[in-house]
């Protein structure tokens, strides 16, 4: 078994354990330099938090362990195809590689595919199922928000 397969097997075992504990069938392992940095499971049913996906929980744990929001040089091994939210978070964190075992096609018969979300997000904002629009409100009594942040970064 290759290192990649071993890490995927660990993510899958986490998913099985989560199912046995009443959770959804998703687990994730974050690896850097072939060392497991963090793991996570889907905790949506336990927490009622729709963002409590295995990958996000693993990202949070890895960032705490590394003491940095950057996960550059890390690989995420996921039991299932990461949803757009998780994939975006991995990109924002600088994850270099994502490997998953079960595809959206594998999950579709069980209601576990996010392919429709990916398809909806690929459309222009005006055509997506969720209403999205820009309203450029500024507070006259305050300096520009982003400029204020940038100024504090130099302090």
């Amino acid at each position: 078994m290759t290192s990649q397969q071993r890490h995927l097997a660990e993510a899958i075992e986490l998913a099985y354990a989560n199912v046995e504990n009443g959770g959804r069938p998703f687990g994730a392992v974050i690896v850097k330099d072939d060392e497991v940095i963090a793991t996570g499971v889907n905790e949506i049913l336990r927490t009622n938090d729709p963002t409590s996906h295995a990958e996000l929980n693993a990202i949070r744990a890895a960032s705490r362990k590394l003491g940095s929001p950057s996960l550059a040089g890390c690989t995420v091994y996921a039991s299932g195809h990461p949803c757009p939210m998780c994939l975006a978070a991995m990109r924002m964190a600088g994850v270099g590689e994502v490997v998953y075992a079960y595809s959206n096609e594998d999950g579709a018969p069980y209601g576990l595919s996010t392919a429709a979300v990916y398809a909806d997000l690929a459309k222009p904002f005006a055509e997506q199922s969720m209403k999205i629009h820009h309203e450029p409100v500024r507070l006259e009594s305050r300096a520009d928000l982003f400029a204020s942040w940038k100024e504090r970064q130099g302090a």
Side-chain angles (χ1 to χ4, degrees), residues 101-149:
Y102 285 78
S103 69
N104 270 325
E105 292 77 16
D106 294 328
Y110 308 98
L112 298 172
S113 172
T114 56
V117 178
Y118 275 102
D120 194 43
L121 288 172
K123 299 175 186 174
F125 282 170
E127 296 174 23
Q128 290 185 24
S129 62
M130 181 173 66
K131 184 178 178 182
I132 305 168
H133 60 97
H134 174 232
E135 186 67 40
V137 172
R138 303 294 186 266
L139 302 181
E140 290 181 24
S141 63
R142 306 279 272 168
D144 181 77
L145 178 62
F146 292 167
S148 295
W149 172 81

Side-chain angles (χ1 to χ4, degrees), residues 11 14 31 52-54 57 60 76 99-100 110 137 147-149:
L14 287 167
V31 174
S52 192
H53 290 202
N57 290 331
R60 291 174 184 126
V76 174
V99 184
Y100 59 94
Y110 308 98
V137 172
S148 295
W149 172 81

Side-chain angles (χ1 to χ4, degrees), residues 6-110:
R6 193 173 65 255
H7 294 308
L8 277 175
E10 184 175 354
I12 294 167
E13 284 295 346
L14 287 167
Y16 272 111
N18 201 44
V19 168
E20 291 164 6
N21 289 318
R24 293 170 55 104
F26 299 103
V29 175
I30 298 183
V31 174
K32 185 171 187 175
D33 300 324
D34 208 35
E35 177 190 340
V36 174
I37 301 298
T39 64
V41 295
N42 185 295
E43 296 182 350
I44 290 174
L45 299 176
R46 188 179 67 75
T47 63
N48 293 317
D49 176 354
T51 69
S52 192
H53 290 202
E55 298 91 338
L56 291 184
N57 290 331
I59 287 169
R60 291 174 184 126
S63 294
R64 283 191 300 270
K65 182 172 182 176
L66 295 174
S68 172
S70 174
L71 298 182
C74 290
T75 299
V76 174
Y77 295 93
S79 60
H81 188 287
C83 77
M85 173 181 67
C86 292
L87 209 54
M90 289 181 237
R91 285 183 181 256
M92 297 295 288
V95 168
E97 183 177 11
V98 179
V99 184
Y100 59 94
Y102 285 78
S103 69
N104 270 325
E105 292 77 16
D106 294 328
Y110 308 98

